[in-house]
Amino acid sequence: MLDQNHTLALSDLAVGSYCQVAAVELEGLLRRRILDLGMVPGTPVQCVRKSPAGDPIAFYVRGSMIALRSDDARLIKVNPWQPK
């Protein structure tokens, strides 16, 4: 079970750090696309790169690199995590 006390937005993750998805609060087609990419609760995610302006942000998820706008990443809640 993930600790809800340490939940933060995916957009707040520092470059190079890891997390696990806690909740996807997006709606509509974008929610479906994110879930189809495998970004479901419990999935490990690594923040790979942020553009100089901070938008978009690149993440490594289940063997794929995806880029999300910071406004969309803000609606994905995560818990900090360290891989073993």
Side-chain angles (χ1 to χ4, degrees):
M1 178 76 112
L2 298 173
D3 184 4
Q4 295 300 319
N5 294 329
H6 293 96
T7 301
L8 58 125
L10 184 60
S11 59
D12 296 334
L13 200 62
V15 173
S17 59
Y18 293 84
C19 66
Q20 282 186 314
V21 175
V24 178
E25 298 176 352
L26 295 163
E27 295 182 1
L29 185 58
L30 183 57
R31 177 184 172 82
R32 173 62 22 213
R33 287 181 179 166
I34 292 298
L35 294 173
D36 287 346
L37 286 169
M39 197 178 281
V40 296
T43 301
V45 177
Q46 180 185 19
C47 181
V48 178
R49 178 175 296 136
K50 291 186 179 185
S51 71
D55 200 17
I57 307 169
F59 300 98
Y60 190 69
V61 181
R62 295 186 185 250
S64 297
M65 183 98 50
I66 64 168
L68 293 173
R69 296 181 312 180
S70 58
D71 287 345
D72 296 331
R74 202 168 284 121
L75 295 174
I76 299 172
K77 303 305 179 195
V78 299
N79 292 313
W81 178 72
Q82 281 299 323
K84 294 182 180 182

